[in-house]
Amino acid sequence: MMDTSNLPTTPPEDRLPDQAAPITVVGPIAWLRTNLFSSIGNTLLTILAALLLIWIIPPFINWAFLHATWSFPQVTDSSHRFGRKDCAPDGACWIFIRARIGQFMFGFYPMDERWRPVLAFILTFGAIAGMMVDRFPFKRANAIFLFAILPFLAFWLLFGGLGLEIVPTRMWGGFMLTLVIAAVGIVLALPLGILLALGRRSDLPVVHLVSVVIIEFVRGVPLITVLFMANVMLPLFLPPGMTIDPLLRILVGFTVFTSAYLAEVVRGGLQAIGRGQYEGAASLGLGYWSMMRLIVLPQALRVSIPAIVNTINGSFMDTTLVAVVGLYDFLNIVRTGSRDSNWIGTDIEGFVFCAAVYWVICYGMSRYSVHLEHKLDTGHKKH
Amino acid sequence: MSATAMTNQTDQDQAPEVMISLSDVNKWYGQFHVLKNINLSVHKGERIVVCGPSGSGKSTMIRCMNRLEEHQRGKIVVDGIELTRDLKKIEQVRREVGMVFQHFNLFPHLTVLENLTLAPIWVRKMPKKKAEETAMHYLERVRIPEQANKFPGQLSGGQQQRVAIARSLCMNPKVMLFDEPTSALDPEMIKEVLDVMIELARSGMTMLCVTHEMGFARTVANRVIFMDRGEIIEQNEPEEFFKNPKSERTRLFLSQILH
C-alpha cells in the first residue's frame, strides 16, 4: 500500500477562493431553464400554456373584477327593485349576491330567527376548531360537548320547540341546509362505515353477508336513486298516518350512501395492516374490540386519511343532488335566484360564487388532512 | 450451573406440573397435513428448543398453543384450560402465554412505553401508574430503559425484539413462546437478544423456543425437539441430542446446520 502521509497539500495562501455560481446554474434564470425550457418539447408546452393563460385570465379578471358592479346604485324611487339592469352589462353583477345573500345562506328561514342557525354554526365551528387546534386545552370536555351535547343543542336551535318558534325543515335552505346535510351525513357515516367494513371482514357468516349486501347494493345505485328511494320508501315502513320529515328521509339516504363508500375505504386501510399486528395484539390477550380500537383502526384510519378525505370531499359536493328531490341546498337556491325575473342573466355570477365557496371549504379540508397526516406520521418514518 | 443440573434439582422437589400438553394433535392446511399426531408435554420451568428444517411444522405447532392457529384434531391443554372454539378460554390462555415473533410485531403508532403498558391496562385492568412501573422494570431487565419514549421505528432490530420480549413479560405470563426470535436480526444483534433470553431462562421461566441458534440450546435448554414434515422425530437433552442423534433425518439436519 502506498504511503499517503507525505503527499503534497496545497498551502492556505494558494487555495482558490470561493466563486459565485454562474447564473445558468442557480437563481431565477436557472430555474426557468430546468423547469420550463429544459427541452424542445417542454419549451413548446411552456409557450402553449402561457398562451392559454393569456387567453383566459385577462378577460376573466376584466369580467370578475375590473368591470364588475360591487355596489348598489343610489335610488330615490322607493319601489325600485334591484336587478341585473342595475349592473354594468360587460362585467359581473355582484350585487346579485349581495342582494340575496340572506336567502343563499339561510334559505327560507324566517329573518328574525336567523340568529339561531348563526349561533348553531358558531358553536359547531368553535367545538370542531377546539378539537382540531392542538394548543387548545380541555380536549375531553370539548369532545363530550361536540358529540353528546351539541347535536341536541344544534337541533333545538335550528328546529325550535321548548320556547323557540318552530321552523319546519321545508323552510331550511341554502348554505345552512348544505352544512346540515353534509355535517350530519358525514359524521354519522364514518362510524357506520367502519362498522360495515369490520362486518365485511368478519368470520361470522350472517354479519359478513349483511355487510356485503348493504355495501354492494348501496354502492351499485346512483345517489339520486338512493335519495328518491329514501324519499318514497321510508314512509311506507311506517304505520299509516305517521310521516317522516322529508329532510330526515334525505339524511338517512345520504348517510347510508356515504357510509357504504367509506366502508370500502376503511376496508382498504384494514387490509393494509399486516397480519402481524393482529397477531401481536391477540397474543397479548386483547379481545376483538380492544384490538380494533387500540391497534388496528388507529393504524388503518391513519393510512386511509387521503382516501377518507377524498370521499368526504366528494360527499360534500354530492349534497347538491338533494335538489333533485326538491330540497333547496346552496347551489339550488343560488340557481333559483338567477331565475327571478329581475335577475335573469346572473347565472354565471351564481356559479362562480358557489364554486368559490365550495372550493374554499374543500381546500380547507385538504390542508387540514395534510396537517393531520404529518402530525400522525410518528411510527412509520425514522426521525 | 448446567441446564441438566437445573432440571435434576426440579425433579428432586416433586414432579413439576404440566403447563402445556398436546395429545394426538393434527392439523391440515387444506389437503396438506402439516402436523401429524403430535404428542408433547411441557413441564413448568422447562426450557425446550424446537428445531428442524423449514416447513416441518415447528412454528405451526407453537402457534397452536396460543390458538393463533387452529388444530383440527387432538387436544391441547394450556395451564389447565383446553383450547377449543370458546373465545373466553382462548383469551384466558393468551393472558398466561406470552409470544415473541420473528418480525417483532410491535405497534408502530405507540411509544415503547405505551406498547408495554397497553395490555396490562386494557386486559389485566391495571392502573396506569402501576403498569408504567412494571413496564420500566422490564425495560431495565432487557437493558433499554432509556428508549421508553421512542417509537419502535426509531430502534434497531435487536432493541425492537428486546422491547417485544419485555412487552410479553409485562403480562406476567406463565409460559413464553418464541417463534424464531433472532431469524430476522443482523448477526451483531443476535447476541443481545439471546442474552436476554438466557437470563429469562435462568430466572425459571417456562420457555418454548423455535430457533436455529444451537448455541442457545446448548446453554439453557433442558430438552431439544427435532421436527420434520409435521412429526416429532426425536427429543433429548441437548448434550445427548447433539452427540448421539438417533434418527437419520436428525443426523442429516445437524450436519447441515452445525458446520
Side-chain angles (χ1 to χ4, degrees):
Chain A
M1 281 271 288
M2 190 170 93
D3 176 13
T4 53
S5 56
N6 282 324
L7 289 174
T9 54
T10 315
E13 52 278 11
D14 286 345
R15 287 182 195 159
L16 296 168
D18 288 345
Q19 288 176 322
I23 55 167
T24 48
V25 173
V26 291
I29 297 187
W31 187 90
L32 285 173
R33 279 186 67 161
T34 26
N35 292 299
L36 297 181
F37 300 107
S38 54
S39 69
I40 304 277
N42 285 340
T43 309
L44 281 172
L45 282 173
T46 301
I47 294 174
L48 265 168
L51 288 173
L52 193 66
L53 289 173
I54 293 171
W55 185 49
I56 293 178
I57 292 186
F60 180 76
I61 305 242
N62 257 332
W63 177 83
F65 296 101
L66 299 177
H67 295 157
T69 313
W70 297 88
S71 44
F72 295 98
Q74 297 278 37
V75 274
T76 46
D77 180 5
S78 59
S79 68
H80 176 94
R81 310 203 113 207
F82 290 110
R84 185 75 181 72
K85 56 188 190 301
D86 294 308
C87 292
D90 59 338
C93 190
W94 296 126
I95 61 171
F96 166 57
I97 310 295
R98 292 185 62 182
R100 305 189 76 116
I101 190 75
Q103 195 185 64
F104 293 165
M105 287 295 126
F106 302 104
F108 310 109
Y109 213 88
M111 284 191 69
D112 30 344
E113 303 290 328
R114 281 183 182 168
W115 60 271
R116 288 158 50 182
V118 170
L119 181 59
F121 172 73
I122 291 175
L123 287 172
T124 310
F125 188 75
I128 294 177
M131 291 303 293
M132 285 176 12
V133 172
D134 296 331
R135 269 171 287 180
F136 194 78
F138 312 119
K139 285 272 187 297
R140 198 185 163 82
N142 198 336
I144 294 177
F145 174 73
L146 180 60
F147 294 111
I149 300 177
L150 187 62
F152 300 101
L153 186 58
F155 176 74
W156 173 62
L157 280 171
L158 289 171
F159 188 74
L162 295 179
L164 287 179
E165 179 190 324
I166 292 189
V167 180
T169 58
R170 59 181 163 76
M171 297 178 81
W172 300 10
F175 192 65
M176 176 197 115
L177 180 63
T178 295
L179 278 185
V180 166
I181 297 175
V184 172
I186 291 167
V187 164
L188 289 179
L190 193 52
L192 190 56
I194 292 175
L195 284 175
L196 280 172
L198 291 176
R200 186 162 181 165
R201 281 171 62 90
S202 164
D203 292 326
L204 305 171
V206 172
V207 173
H208 173 81
L209 188 64
V210 167
S211 304
V212 170
V213 164
I214 292 177
I215 293 175
E216 293 301 342
F217 175 72
V218 172
R219 277 197 322 162
V221 164
L223 176 56
I224 296 185
T225 315
V226 173
L227 295 177
F228 270 128
M229 285 167 61
N231 215 11
V232 167
M233 284 168 54
L234 277 178
L236 296 176
F237 293 127
L238 289 183
M242 263 188 81
T243 51
I244 319 185
D245 187 294
L247 179 60
L248 188 58
R249 290 177 230 160
I250 300 309
L251 278 175
V252 169
F254 187 78
T255 303
V256 171
F257 187 81
T258 309
S259 70
Y261 275 82
L262 282 173
E264 288 297 274
V265 169
V266 171
R267 192 167 71 93
L270 289 170
Q271 276 171 210
I273 305 303
R275 204 162 66 117
Q277 289 295 298
Y278 294 86
E279 292 187 349
S283 72
L284 289 167
L286 281 167
Y288 179 81
W289 291 108
S290 296
M291 171 170 71
M292 286 302 157
R293 182 172 58 93
L294 297 166
I295 308 297
V296 177
L297 280 175
Q299 295 183 64
L301 292 176
R302 202 161 303 199
V303 148
S304 321
I305 287 175
I308 290 179
V309 172
N310 197 39
T311 308
I312 289 178
N313 195 327
S315 293
F316 188 79
M317 302 306 180
D318 283 345
T319 58
T320 53
L321 288 174
V322 300
V324 175
V325 283
L327 290 179
Y328 282 96
D329 76 293
F330 183 54
L331 180 62
N332 194 15
I333 210 164
V334 171
R335 293 181 64 199
T336 311
S338 295
R339 289 188 217 124
D340 182 297
S341 49
N342 286 320
W343 294 105
I344 301 285
T346 55
D347 304 81
I348 300 187
E349 284 86 342
F351 284 129
V352 170
F353 174 61
C354 281
V357 171
Y358 279 120
W359 189 85
V360 165
I361 291 175
C362 290
Y363 185 70
M365 268 200 264
S366 72
R367 291 316 307 168
Y368 180 66
S369 133
V370 169
H371 162 78
L372 202 59
E373 282 180 64
H374 281 146
K375 193 176 89 151
L376 298 175
D377 215 3
T378 51
H380 300 275
K381 283 200 166 87
K382 278 204 186 245
H383 291 59
Chain B
M1 193 174 357
S2 83
T4 30
M6 283 176 83
T7 324
N8 287 340
Q9 185 180 55
T10 337
D11 278 338
Q12 277 163 18
D13 299 334
Q14 63 195 123
E17 61 175 294
V18 174
M19 291 299 309
I20 302 180
S21 85
L22 275 67
S23 328
D24 291 325
V25 169
N26 281 276
K27 181 177 169 60
W28 288 264
Y29 280 133
Q31 287 291 4
F32 178 54
H33 197 173
V34 60
L35 291 177
K36 298 176 185 163
N37 295 332
I38 302 289
N39 283 290
L40 179 64
S41 289
V42 180
H43 299 92
K44 186 165 163 156
E46 267 200 287
R47 281 95 51 206
I48 300 180
V49 164
V50 182
C51 62
S54 53
S56 53
K58 33 188 214 302
S59 286
T60 311
M61 181 180 77
I62 71 162
R63 284 158 63 91
C64 283
M65 292 177 190
N66 66 356
R67 200 71 174 185
L68 285 183
E69 304 280 354
E70 245 179 65
H71 60 283
Q72 275 94 29
R73 199 192 290 170
K75 190 165 153 183
I76 300 183
V77 181
V78 178
D79 193 29
I81 307 165
E82 190 186 338
L83 277 177
T84 58
R85 292 248 159 90
D86 187 343
L87 235 96
K88 282 242 164 305
K89 296 234 173 94
I90 296 177
E91 283 174 21
Q92 243 181 313
V93 164
R94 286 176 178 166
R95 286 198 279 267
E96 306 305 330
V97 174
M99 187 150 189
V100 177
F101 299 87
Q102 183 176 354
H103 296 290
F104 329 136
N105 291 342
L106 293 177
F107 308 131
H109 62 300
L110 302 174
T111 63
V112 162
L113 193 65
E114 286 165 349
N115 263 273
L116 265 63
T117 57
L118 185 116
I121 291 176
W122 295 102
V123 179
R124 290 223 190 270
K125 315 278 189 253
M126 222 188 258
K128 188 166 169 204
K129 255 214 158 297
K130 181 154 179 276
E132 283 180 357
E133 280 164 15
T134 315
M136 287 312 299
H137 163 77
Y138 283 113
L139 278 179
E140 272 154 23
R141 208 165 140 187
V142 300
R143 293 177 227 147
I144 40 172
E146 70 282 357
Q147 311 289 356
N149 291 312
K150 292 224 180 114
F151 288 93
Q154 298 170 278
L155 304 180
S156 73
Q159 291 171 323
Q160 288 189 51
Q161 192 62 297
R162 287 187 278 157
V163 169
I165 296 174
R167 182 178 68 170
S168 296
L169 290 175
C170 280
M171 288 290 283
N172 284 314
K174 297 193 179 128
V175 182
M176 284 284 280
L177 304 174
F178 293 83
D179 188 0
E180 304 210 34
T182 56
S183 296
L185 295 176
D186 292 336
E188 64 267 21
M189 293 189 234
I190 294 181
K191 179 177 186 305
E192 66 195 54
V193 174
L194 287 181
D195 284 344
V196 166
M197 288 167 66
I198 291 170
E199 188 258 325
L200 191 61
R202 295 218 164 106
S203 70
M205 173 66 78
T206 314
M207 291 165 69
L208 238 111
C209 191
V210 172
T211 185
H212 300 295
E213 295 291 326
M214 293 303 135
F216 174 76
R218 282 201 157 103
T219 318
V220 290
N222 40 31
R223 208 188 334 168
V224 179
I225 296 178
F226 175 69
M227 281 182 74
D228 191 13
R229 284 181 239 164
E231 295 177 78
I232 294 182
I233 307 293
E234 195 173 326
Q235 38 185 323
N236 216 330
E237 287 172 350
E239 288 307 317
E240 269 303 300
F241 180 85
F242 291 116
K243 273 212 201 89
N244 303 317
K246 295 197 183 63
S247 153
E248 186 54 46
R249 283 195 263 179
T250 319
R251 269 189 282 263
L252 179 62
F253 175 73
L254 285 175
S255 71
Q256 287 168 332
I257 65 166
L258 295 174
H259 36 256

